[in-house]
Amino acid sequence: KAHKEGKPEAIKFEYRLIPLVDTERWIRVRGRVVSRDAKGAPLRLVGTLADVTSQKQNEEALLLAEQRRSLALEAAQAGTWEWDLRTNENIWSDELWPIYGLERHSCQPSYDAWAKIIHPGDRAQTEQVVNNAVQQGTSFRVEWRVNPTGNEEPRWLMARGRPVRDENGHIFRYLGIVIDVTERKLNE
């Protein structure tokens, strides 16, 4: 790394130790050059070494769990959502966008963006179910048609949502899932 006069050069990296016996370990190195010779070559370094094996194992387990979750949602033609009632912020999983008939990240996830994808014939009733659940602090289940795009027939979606409470018992968020149930509806 380039050295700038007057600024210590940061040293940051991680590496794996693979011993002949025992188990693999991950080591994190952090340090800096504190003195240089007349030509600018490092003379003295200070820093730390830390065993971060458990953190690396947790990161790998989390990544694997996320991959499994994503695979399960894709297989089920489902996506997840979160709605923060305090800020009105919405979070949609990557799998939810195509279910809604939208390009990924083509709009800001929001209650209004969700309401716009609902078929006009189902919008009032669907919003009423959700709003009643929020007012009563209960879970909900609702089915609605998605506005068709192009020449396709409307698709049917089913959403389930449940409230999340803070430490004082106040509902501050809803978590939910949306599943494409078009095939089931056509069979009915």
Side-chain angles (χ1 to χ4, degrees):
K1 293 181 181 179
H3 160 65
K4 294 181 181 171
E5 288 301 322
K7 287 193 167 191
E9 182 178 352
I11 301 167
K12 297 180 181 180
F13 62 93
E14 294 175 353
Y15 64 92
R16 269 188 310 176
L17 287 176
I18 305 174
L20 297 176
V21 185
D22 202 0
T23 59
E24 174 181 288
R25 310 299 296 169
W26 278 92
I27 306 298
R28 177 174 292 148
V29 177
R30 297 290 185 262
R32 67 183 197 285
V33 175
V34 293
S35 66
R36 297 179 177 276
D37 66 16
K39 294 181 180 179
L43 286 176
R44 188 164 166 241
L45 303 159
V46 295
T48 61
L49 299 173
D51 184 338
V52 294
T53 304
S54 62
Q55 179 182 343
K56 285 293 191 179
Q57 290 169 338
N58 290 340
E59 289 171 3
E60 289 173 16
L62 187 60
L63 178 61
L64 185 57
E66 174 58 25
Q67 290 170 341
R68 288 178 180 146
R69 182 201 65 81
S70 183
L71 181 62
L73 288 173
E74 278 184 40
Q77 293 183 301
T80 60
W81 54 268
E82 296 179 34
W83 179 21
D84 189 319
L85 300 177
R86 297 167 301 189
T87 64
N88 207 29
E89 178 186 18
N90 283 242
I91 299 170
W92 297 347
S93 70
D94 283 343
E95 298 83 7
L96 193 55
W97 295 84
I99 292 168
Y100 282 170
L102 300 170
E103 291 291 324
R104 283 194 172 110
H105 309 290
S106 60
C107 66
Q108 180 65 38
S110 67
Y111 181 94
D112 291 335
W114 165 74
K116 286 178 186 172
I117 64 113
I118 300 171
H119 189 283
D122 299 338
R123 190 173 295 140
Q125 180 183 357
T126 301
E127 285 189 284
Q128 182 179 3
V129 168
V130 172
N131 290 326
N132 286 346
V134 170
Q135 288 174 0
Q136 296 168 12
T138 60
S139 296
F140 67 86
R141 179 186 182 281
V142 65
E143 294 182 4
W144 75 90
R145 290 172 292 169
V146 175
N147 273 328
T149 56
N151 295 331
E152 71 178 17
E153 291 293 315
R155 289 177 300 109
W156 282 90
L157 303 182
M158 185 271 296
R160 289 182 178 263
R162 66 179 171 96
V164 177
R165 298 177 187 279
D166 64 17
E167 61 277 353
N168 298 318
H170 300 108
I171 296 171
F172 70 97
R173 180 181 306 266
Y174 265 79
L175 300 177
I177 189 166
V178 175
I179 301 171
D180 187 326
V181 294
T182 304
E183 190 174 320
R184 180 184 57 104
K185 289 298 241 183
L186 292 176
N187 288 335
E188 288 175 359

